[in-house]
Amino acid sequence: MAARIRLYRSQKKMSLDELSRRAGVSKGMLVEIEGCRANPSIALLCRIAAAMGVSVADFVNVASAPPVHVIAAEEIPVLWQGEHGGSARLLAGTSGPEMVELWRWVMQPGESFASPSHPQSTCELLYVEQGSLTLWVDEQRYEIAAGNSAVARTDAPHRYTNHGDSRLEFTMTVYEPGR
């Protein structure tokens, strides 16, 4: 991933200073990430990708490449791991500034993931397969039970929580309009 971030920054002729300013990330952190000495969070990857006009899927090489890009199960990256065994996997995504990503989340009881706001007009489509998802958007709480779907504007701080006592599984599609 570090090499791909460096490659995109180079292709965009963007200095570390400029990327730091645009992404709101310290230059030192960017040096650590590009040098494979830091493991960035999903939120940090989102900010870096948005600053470069690419998608997180481009960084982890699950972006589509014409006409079809098949991603083997063992190549699907885990970008979040919960303290009790939960995970978030970026299954696939499109390339470039008009970004769509497909995620698979598993959360064990008590696990939570918080995200800062995404770029303006970002939208997430959620489908709960098992358990119950507590979704917080801008401190407003929503309960989404198994079999139900939701559409959420996530250009505000948000988080996903499993307040239940059983495993939570949900899929999520993220759409960020052109940046």
Side-chain angles (χ1 to χ4, degrees):
M1 179 169 39
R4 295 186 66 77
I5 292 171
R6 201 170 33 254
L7 172 68
Y8 280 107
R9 187 174 59 78
S10 173
Q11 288 175 344
K12 305 248 180 224
K13 298 180 181 8
M14 191 178 290
S15 69
L16 283 169
D17 288 323
E18 184 179 355
L19 180 56
S20 171
R21 182 183 54 75
R22 285 186 183 187
V25 176
S26 75
K27 181 179 175 180
M29 175 55 82
L30 293 172
V31 168
E32 293 292 306
I33 291 168
E34 287 191 3
C36 294
R37 293 181 298 276
N39 188 14
S41 67
I42 296 171
L44 192 56
L45 286 175
C46 288
R47 290 190 359 225
I48 293 169
M52 286 199 273
V54 299
S55 70
V56 173
D58 289 317
F59 292 159
V60 295
N61 201 25
V62 293
S64 59
V68 173
H69 178 193
V70 176
I71 302 145
E74 64 274 6
E75 294 174 358
I76 296 173
V78 175
L79 294 179
W80 172 82
Q81 290 186 318
E83 56 196 38
H84 303 296
S87 63
R89 300 173 69 210
L90 179 54
L91 301 175
T94 60
S95 223
E98 193 82 13
M99 194 251 338
V100 179
E101 294 174 341
L102 178 62
W103 291 81
R104 170 85 168 144
W105 285 80
V106 174
M107 298 182 104
Q108 300 301 333
E111 289 184 327
S112 187
F113 175 80
S115 176
S117 54
H118 293 306
Q120 186 174 4
S121 300
T122 298
C123 188
E124 293 182 2
L125 309 175
L126 302 127
Y127 174 71
V128 178
E129 298 167 40
Q130 179 180 326
S132 182
L133 169 63
T134 303
L135 172 66
W136 297 82
V137 178
D138 211 12
E139 295 307 315
Q140 182 85 13
R141 180 181 174 150
Y142 304 88
E143 293 293 331
I144 309 163
N148 292 312
S149 299
V151 178
R153 287 276 306 267
T154 52
D155 52 5
H158 55 285
R159 71 182 179 274
Y160 321 104
T161 303
N162 181 356
H163 284 299
D165 51 8
S166 64
R167 177 181 168 117
L168 164 64
E169 295 181 22
F170 66 98
T171 55
M172 173 177 67
T173 300
V174 181
Y175 169 69
E176 281 184 18
R179 299 170 231 165

PDB file of all heavy atoms in Angstrom, residues 29-60:
ATOM      1  N   MET A  29       3.967  11.863   9.520  1.00  0.00           N
ATOM      2  CA  MET A  29       3.116  10.677   9.408  1.00  0.00           C
ATOM      3  C   MET A  29       3.129  10.156   7.977  1.00  0.00           C
ATOM      4  O   MET A  29       3.203   8.938   7.754  1.00  0.00           O
ATOM      5  CB  MET A  29       1.684  10.988   9.848  1.00  0.00           C
ATOM      6  CG  MET A  29       0.719   9.828   9.655  1.00  0.00           C
ATOM      7  SD  MET A  29       1.214   8.288  10.446  1.00  0.00           S
ATOM      8  CE  MET A  29       0.666   8.586  12.101  1.00  0.00           C
ATOM      9  N   LEU A  30       3.074  11.055   6.993  1.00  0.00           N
ATOM     10  CA  LEU A  30       3.125  10.625   5.593  1.00  0.00           C
ATOM     11  C   LEU A  30       4.443   9.920   5.281  1.00  0.00           C
ATOM     12  O   LEU A  30       4.458   8.904   4.579  1.00  0.00           O
ATOM     13  CB  LEU A  30       2.924  11.824   4.659  1.00  0.00           C
ATOM     14  CG  LEU A  30       1.541  12.463   4.693  1.00  0.00           C
ATOM     15  CD1 LEU A  30       1.526  13.741   3.872  1.00  0.00           C
ATOM     16  CD2 LEU A  30       0.482  11.490   4.192  1.00  0.00           C
ATOM     17  N   VAL A  31       5.547  10.437   5.807  1.00  0.00           N
ATOM     18  CA  VAL A  31       6.857   9.798   5.613  1.00  0.00           C
ATOM     19  C   VAL A  31       6.842   8.398   6.224  1.00  0.00           C
ATOM     20  O   VAL A  31       7.320   7.434   5.611  1.00  0.00           O
ATOM     21  CB  VAL A  31       7.984  10.669   6.219  1.00  0.00           C
ATOM     22  CG1 VAL A  31       9.290   9.899   6.289  1.00  0.00           C
ATOM     23  CG2 VAL A  31       8.156  11.956   5.423  1.00  0.00           C
ATOM     24  N   GLU A  32       6.255   8.258   7.415  1.00  0.00           N
ATOM     25  CA  GLU A  32       6.162   6.957   8.073  1.00  0.00           C
ATOM     26  C   GLU A  32       5.310   5.980   7.257  1.00  0.00           C
ATOM     27  O   GLU A  32       5.657   4.811   7.116  1.00  0.00           O
ATOM     28  CB  GLU A  32       5.578   7.103   9.488  1.00  0.00           C
ATOM     29  CG  GLU A  32       6.478   7.846  10.456  1.00  0.00           C
ATOM     30  CD  GLU A  32       7.745   7.070  10.788  1.00  0.00           C
ATOM     31  OE1 GLU A  32       7.629   5.902  11.214  1.00  0.00           O
ATOM     32  OE2 GLU A  32       8.833   7.636  10.600  1.00  0.00           O
ATOM     33  N   ILE A  33       4.193   6.472   6.718  1.00  0.00           N
ATOM     34  CA  ILE A  33       3.304   5.616   5.923  1.00  0.00           C
ATOM     35  C   ILE A  33       4.015   5.166   4.651  1.00  0.00           C
ATOM     36  O   ILE A  33       4.038   3.980   4.323  1.00  0.00           O
ATOM     37  CB  ILE A  33       1.983   6.353   5.591  1.00  0.00           C
ATOM     38  CG1 ILE A  33       1.152   6.540   6.860  1.00  0.00           C
ATOM     39  CG2 ILE A  33       1.189   5.587   4.522  1.00  0.00           C
ATOM     40  CD1 ILE A  33      -0.020   7.491   6.691  1.00  0.00           C
ATOM     41  N   GLU A  34       4.607   6.113   3.932  1.00  0.00           N
ATOM     42  CA  GLU A  34       5.280   5.772   2.675  1.00  0.00           C
ATOM     43  C   GLU A  34       6.509   4.902   2.906  1.00  0.00           C
ATOM     44  O   GLU A  34       6.924   4.168   2.021  1.00  0.00           O
ATOM     45  CB  GLU A  34       5.647   7.033   1.898  1.00  0.00           C
ATOM     46  CG  GLU A  34       4.453   7.705   1.264  1.00  0.00           C
ATOM     47  CD  GLU A  34       4.824   8.801   0.275  1.00  0.00           C
ATOM     48  OE1 GLU A  34       6.031   9.011   0.017  1.00  0.00           O
ATOM     49  OE2 GLU A  34       3.892   9.442  -0.244  1.00  0.00           O
ATOM     50  N   GLY A  35       7.082   4.967   4.087  1.00  0.00           N
ATOM     51  CA  GLY A  35       8.246   4.147   4.418  1.00  0.00           C
ATOM     52  C   GLY A  35       7.881   2.812   5.055  1.00  0.00           C
ATOM     53  O   GLY A  35       8.752   2.114   5.568  1.00  0.00           O
ATOM     54  N   CYS A  36       6.604   2.468   5.062  1.00  0.00           N
ATOM     55  CA  CYS A  36       6.093   1.210   5.639  1.00  0.00           C
ATOM     56  C   CYS A  36       6.389   1.096   7.131  1.00  0.00           C
ATOM     57  O   CYS A  36       6.540   0.003   7.663  1.00  0.00           O
ATOM     58  CB  CYS A  36       6.677  -0.002   4.908  1.00  0.00           C
ATOM     59  SG  CYS A  36       6.170  -0.149   3.212  1.00  0.00           S
ATOM     60  N   ARG A  37       6.454   2.222   7.826  1.00  0.00           N
ATOM     61  CA  ARG A  37       6.714   2.190   9.263  1.00  0.00           C
ATOM     62  C   ARG A  37       5.478   2.555  10.076  1.00  0.00           C
ATOM     63  O   ARG A  37       5.536   2.580  11.294  1.00  0.00           O
ATOM     64  CB  ARG A  37       7.869   3.142   9.595  1.00  0.00           C
ATOM     65  CG  ARG A  37       9.212   2.674   9.027  1.00  0.00           C
ATOM     66  CD  ARG A  37      10.343   3.608   9.370  1.00  0.00           C
ATOM     67  NE  ARG A  37      10.176   4.955   8.835  1.00  0.00           N
ATOM     68  CZ  ARG A  37      10.497   5.353   7.598  1.00  0.00           C
ATOM     69  NH1 ARG A  37      11.008   4.483   6.743  1.00  0.00           N
ATOM     70  NH2 ARG A  37      10.324   6.591   7.211  1.00  0.00           N
ATOM     71  N   ALA A  38       4.378   2.868   9.397  1.00  0.00           N
ATOM     72  CA  ALA A  38       3.119   3.191  10.082  1.00  0.00           C
ATOM     73  C   ALA A  38       1.981   2.501   9.338  1.00  0.00           C
ATOM     74  O   ALA A  38       2.010   2.380   8.113  1.00  0.00           O
ATOM     75  CB  ALA A  38       2.899   4.696  10.112  1.00  0.00           C
ATOM     76  N   ASN A  39       0.991   2.073  10.096  1.00  0.00           N
ATOM     77  CA  ASN A  39      -0.186   1.418   9.532  1.00  0.00           C
ATOM     78  C   ASN A  39      -1.356   2.394   9.671  1.00  0.00           C
ATOM     79  O   ASN A  39      -1.920   2.518  10.748  1.00  0.00           O
ATOM     80  CB  ASN A  39      -0.448   0.111  10.280  1.00  0.00           C
ATOM     81  CG  ASN A  39      -1.528  -0.703   9.624  1.00  0.00           C
ATOM     82  OD1 ASN A  39      -1.909  -0.451   8.488  1.00  0.00           O
ATOM     83  ND2 ASN A  39      -2.028  -1.682  10.348  1.00  0.00           N
ATOM     84  N   PRO A  40      -1.712   3.087   8.591  1.00  0.00           N
ATOM     85  CA  PRO A  40      -2.749   4.119   8.701  1.00  0.00           C
ATOM     86  C   PRO A  40      -4.140   3.534   8.929  1.00  0.00           C
ATOM     87  O   PRO A  40      -4.459   2.445   8.467  1.00  0.00           O
ATOM     88  CB  PRO A  40      -2.676   4.830   7.350  1.00  0.00           C
ATOM     89  CG  PRO A  40      -2.111   3.815   6.411  1.00  0.00           C
ATOM     90  CD  PRO A  40      -1.188   2.952   7.237  1.00  0.00           C
ATOM     91  N   SER A  41      -4.962   4.288   9.647  1.00  0.00           N
ATOM     92  CA  SER A  41      -6.354   3.905   9.879  1.00  0.00           C
ATOM     93  C   SER A  41      -7.166   4.106   8.599  1.00  0.00           C
ATOM     94  O   SER A  41      -6.713   4.772   7.659  1.00  0.00           O
ATOM     95  CB  SER A  41      -6.945   4.771  10.991  1.00  0.00           C
ATOM     96  OG  SER A  41      -7.036   6.117  10.550  1.00  0.00           O
ATOM     97  N   ILE A  42      -8.372   3.557   8.590  1.00  0.00           N
ATOM     98  CA  ILE A  42      -9.263   3.770   7.446  1.00  0.00           C
ATOM     99  C   ILE A  42      -9.517   5.262   7.255  1.00  0.00           C
ATOM    100  O   ILE A  42      -9.472   5.771   6.140  1.00  0.00           O
ATOM    101  CB  ILE A  42     -10.602   3.033   7.652  1.00  0.00           C
ATOM    102  CG1 ILE A  42     -10.395   1.523   7.700  1.00  0.00           C
ATOM    103  CG2 ILE A  42     -11.593   3.386   6.545  1.00  0.00           C
ATOM    104  CD1 ILE A  42     -11.633   0.744   8.108  1.00  0.00           C
ATOM    105  N   ALA A  43      -9.772   5.975   8.349  1.00  0.00           N
ATOM    106  CA  ALA A  43     -10.063   7.407   8.261  1.00  0.00           C
ATOM    107  C   ALA A  43      -8.888   8.169   7.654  1.00  0.00           C
ATOM    108  O   ALA A  43      -9.084   9.057   6.818  1.00  0.00           O
ATOM    109  CB  ALA A  43     -10.399   7.958   9.646  1.00  0.00           C
ATOM    110  N   LEU A  44      -7.678   7.817   8.048  1.00  0.00           N
ATOM    111  CA  LEU A  44      -6.497   8.490   7.522  1.00  0.00           C
ATOM    112  C   LEU A  44      -6.328   8.183   6.037  1.00  0.00           C
ATOM    113  O   LEU A  44      -6.034   9.076   5.239  1.00  0.00           O
ATOM    114  CB  LEU A  44      -5.258   8.059   8.316  1.00  0.00           C
ATOM    115  CG  LEU A  44      -3.993   8.854   8.104  1.00  0.00           C
ATOM    116  CD1 LEU A  44      -4.213  10.331   8.387  1.00  0.00           C
ATOM    117  CD2 LEU A  44      -2.889   8.316   9.004  1.00  0.00           C
ATOM    118  N   LEU A  45      -6.542   6.923   5.652  1.00  0.00           N
ATOM    119  CA  LEU A  45      -6.470   6.570   4.230  1.00  0.00           C
ATOM    120  C   LEU A  45      -7.497   7.351   3.420  1.00  0.00           C
ATOM    121  O   LEU A  45      -7.209   7.794   2.305  1.00  0.00           O
ATOM    122  CB  LEU A  45      -6.692   5.071   4.045  1.00  0.00           C
ATOM    123  CG  LEU A  45      -5.546   4.163   4.454  1.00  0.00           C
ATOM    124  CD1 LEU A  45      -5.967   2.700   4.336  1.00  0.00           C
ATOM    125  CD2 LEU A  45      -4.316   4.419   3.597  1.00  0.00           C
ATOM    126  N   CYS A  46      -8.692   7.518   3.969  1.00  0.00           N
ATOM    127  CA  CYS A  46      -9.740   8.282   3.277  1.00  0.00           C
ATOM    128  C   CYS A  46      -9.298   9.726   3.052  1.00  0.00           C
ATOM    129  O   CYS A  46      -9.508  10.287   1.969  1.00  0.00           O
ATOM    130  CB  CYS A  46     -11.045   8.250   4.065  1.00  0.00           C
ATOM    131  SG  CYS A  46     -11.881   6.653   4.034  1.00  0.00           S
ATOM    132  N   ARG A  47      -8.703  10.337   4.060  1.00  0.00           N
ATOM    133  CA  ARG A  47      -8.251  11.738   3.926  1.00  0.00           C
ATOM    134  C   ARG A  47      -7.138  11.866   2.900  1.00  0.00           C
ATOM    135  O   ARG A  47      -7.128  12.799   2.104  1.00  0.00           O
ATOM    136  CB  ARG A  47      -7.813  12.271   5.289  1.00  0.00           C
ATOM    137  CG  ARG A  47      -8.998  12.454   6.200  1.00  0.00           C
ATOM    138  CD  ARG A  47      -8.796  13.174   7.491  1.00  0.00           C
ATOM    139  NE  ARG A  47      -7.508  13.664   7.869  1.00  0.00           N
ATOM    140  CZ  ARG A  47      -6.972  13.528   9.077  1.00  0.00           C
ATOM    141  NH1 ARG A  47      -7.636  12.899  10.023  1.00  0.00           N
ATOM    142  NH2 ARG A  47      -5.796  14.030   9.354  1.00  0.00           N
ATOM    143  N   ILE A  48      -6.194  10.921   2.896  1.00  0.00           N
ATOM    144  CA  ILE A  48      -5.090  10.964   1.937  1.00  0.00           C
ATOM    145  C   ILE A  48      -5.618  10.741   0.523  1.00  0.00           C
ATOM    146  O   ILE A  48      -5.250  11.461  -0.410  1.00  0.00           O
ATOM    147  CB  ILE A  48      -4.016   9.916   2.309  1.00  0.00           C
ATOM    148  CG1 ILE A  48      -3.349  10.301   3.637  1.00  0.00           C
ATOM    149  CG2 ILE A  48      -2.974   9.795   1.210  1.00  0.00           C
ATOM    150  CD1 ILE A  48      -2.472   9.202   4.233  1.00  0.00           C
ATOM    151  N   ALA A  49      -6.514   9.770   0.367  1.00  0.00           N
ATOM    152  CA  ALA A  49      -7.087   9.493  -0.956  1.00  0.00           C
ATOM    153  C   ALA A  49      -7.861  10.701  -1.473  1.00  0.00           C
ATOM    154  O   ALA A  49      -7.698  11.101  -2.629  1.00  0.00           O
ATOM    155  CB  ALA A  49      -7.994   8.264  -0.892  1.00  0.00           C
ATOM    156  N   ALA A  50      -8.695  11.294  -0.628  1.00  0.00           N
ATOM    157  CA  ALA A  50      -9.483  12.459  -1.044  1.00  0.00           C
ATOM    158  C   ALA A  50      -8.564  13.607  -1.458  1.00  0.00           C
ATOM    159  O   ALA A  50      -8.830  14.291  -2.453  1.00  0.00           O
ATOM    160  CB  ALA A  50     -10.409  12.905   0.091  1.00  0.00           C
ATOM    161  N   ALA A  51      -7.484  13.812  -0.734  1.00  0.00           N
ATOM    162  CA  ALA A  51      -6.551  14.896  -1.055  1.00  0.00           C
ATOM    163  C   ALA A  51      -5.877  14.687  -2.405  1.00  0.00           C
ATOM    164  O   ALA A  51      -5.502  15.638  -3.083  1.00  0.00           O
ATOM    165  CB  ALA A  51      -5.500  15.024   0.043  1.00  0.00           C
ATOM    166  N   MET A  52      -5.735  13.411  -2.815  1.00  0.00           N
ATOM    167  CA  MET A  52      -5.106  13.115  -4.101  1.00  0.00           C
ATOM    168  C   MET A  52      -6.117  12.874  -5.217  1.00  0.00           C
ATOM    169  O   MET A  52      -5.731  12.651  -6.359  1.00  0.00           O
ATOM    170  CB  MET A  52      -4.187  11.897  -3.958  1.00  0.00           C
ATOM    171  CG  MET A  52      -2.915  12.207  -3.213  1.00  0.00           C
ATOM    172  SD  MET A  52      -1.636  10.980  -3.514  1.00  0.00           S
ATOM    173  CE  MET A  52      -2.024   9.786  -2.265  1.00  0.00           C
ATOM    174  N   GLY A  53      -7.409  12.873  -4.899  1.00  0.00           N
ATOM    175  CA  GLY A  53      -8.426  12.654  -5.928  1.00  0.00           C
ATOM    176  C   GLY A  53      -8.473  11.216  -6.407  1.00  0.00           C
ATOM    177  O   GLY A  53      -8.791  10.947  -7.561  1.00  0.00           O
ATOM    178  N   VAL A  54      -8.159  10.273  -5.506  1.00  0.00           N
ATOM    179  CA  VAL A  54      -8.244   8.852  -5.825  1.00  0.00           C
ATOM    180  C   VAL A  54      -9.098   8.185  -4.740  1.00  0.00           C
ATOM    181  O   VAL A  54      -9.596   8.855  -3.845  1.00  0.00           O
ATOM    182  CB  VAL A  54      -6.839   8.191  -5.916  1.00  0.00           C
ATOM    183  CG1 VAL A  54      -6.015   8.834  -7.013  1.00  0.00           C
ATOM    184  CG2 VAL A  54      -6.098   8.252  -4.588  1.00  0.00           C
ATOM    185  N   SER A  55      -9.235   6.879  -4.816  1.00  0.00           N
ATOM    186  CA  SER A  55     -10.014   6.166  -3.810  1.00  0.00           C
ATOM    187  C   SER A  55      -9.111   5.280  -2.969  1.00  0.00           C
ATOM    188  O   SER A  55      -8.004   4.930  -3.390  1.00  0.00           O
ATOM    189  CB  SER A  55     -11.106   5.323  -4.478  1.00  0.00           C
ATOM    190  OG  SER A  55     -10.524   4.229  -5.161  1.00  0.00           O
ATOM    191  N   VAL A  56      -9.593   4.902  -1.804  1.00  0.00           N
ATOM    192  CA  VAL A  56      -8.854   3.963  -0.959  1.00  0.00           C
ATOM    193  C   VAL A  56      -8.658   2.656  -1.717  1.00  0.00           C
ATOM    194  O   VAL A  56      -7.624   2.006  -1.598  1.00  0.00           O
ATOM    195  CB  VAL A  56      -9.580   3.736   0.384  1.00  0.00           C
ATOM    196  CG1 VAL A  56      -8.911   2.639   1.198  1.00  0.00           C
ATOM    197  CG2 VAL A  56      -9.637   5.032   1.186  1.00  0.00           C
ATOM    198  N   ALA A  57      -9.635   2.282  -2.528  1.00  0.00           N
ATOM    199  CA  ALA A  57      -9.528   1.056  -3.325  1.00  0.00           C
ATOM    200  C   ALA A  57      -8.305   1.097  -4.238  1.00  0.00           C
ATOM    201  O   ALA A  57      -7.686   0.055  -4.496  1.00  0.00           O
ATOM    202  CB  ALA A  57     -10.803   0.848  -4.140  1.00  0.00           C
ATOM    203  N   ASP A  58      -7.935   2.279  -4.728  1.00  0.00           N
ATOM    204  CA  ASP A  58      -6.723   2.394  -5.534  1.00  0.00           C
ATOM    205  C   ASP A  58      -5.488   2.035  -4.712  1.00  0.00           C
ATOM    206  O   ASP A  58      -4.564   1.386  -5.203  1.00  0.00           O
ATOM    207  CB  ASP A  58      -6.559   3.820  -6.075  1.00  0.00           C
ATOM    208  CG  ASP A  58      -7.571   4.174  -7.148  1.00  0.00           C
ATOM    209  OD1 ASP A  58      -7.824   3.329  -8.035  1.00  0.00           O
ATOM    210  OD2 ASP A  58      -8.102   5.293  -7.110  1.00  0.00           O
ATOM    211  N   PHE A  59      -5.457   2.467  -3.463  1.00  0.00           N
ATOM    212  CA  PHE A  59      -4.301   2.208  -2.602  1.00  0.00           C
ATOM    213  C   PHE A  59      -4.107   0.725  -2.308  1.00  0.00           C
ATOM    214  O   PHE A  59      -2.995   0.246  -2.217  1.00  0.00           O
ATOM    215  CB  PHE A  59      -4.418   2.953  -1.265  1.00  0.00           C
ATOM    216  CG  PHE A  59      -4.320   4.453  -1.359  1.00  0.00           C
ATOM    217  CD1 PHE A  59      -4.840   5.230  -0.343  1.00  0.00           C
ATOM    218  CD2 PHE A  59      -3.713   5.091  -2.422  1.00  0.00           C
ATOM    219  CE1 PHE A  59      -4.753   6.610  -0.381  1.00  0.00           C
ATOM    220  CE2 PHE A  59      -3.622   6.476  -2.485  1.00  0.00           C
ATOM    221  CZ  PHE A  59      -4.153   7.234  -1.465  1.00  0.00           C
ATOM    222  N   VAL A  60      -5.201   0.014  -2.090  1.00  0.00           N
ATOM    223  CA  VAL A  60      -5.087  -1.392  -1.696  1.00  0.00           C
ATOM    224  C   VAL A  60      -5.303  -2.338  -2.873  1.00  0.00           C
ATOM    225  O   VAL A  60      -5.424  -3.541  -2.696  1.00  0.00           O
ATOM    226  CB  VAL A  60      -6.028  -1.735  -0.517  1.00  0.00           C
ATOM    227  CG1 VAL A  60      -5.619  -0.979   0.728  1.00  0.00           C
ATOM    228  CG2 VAL A  60      -7.467  -1.480  -0.856  1.00  0.00           C
TER     229      VAL A  60
END
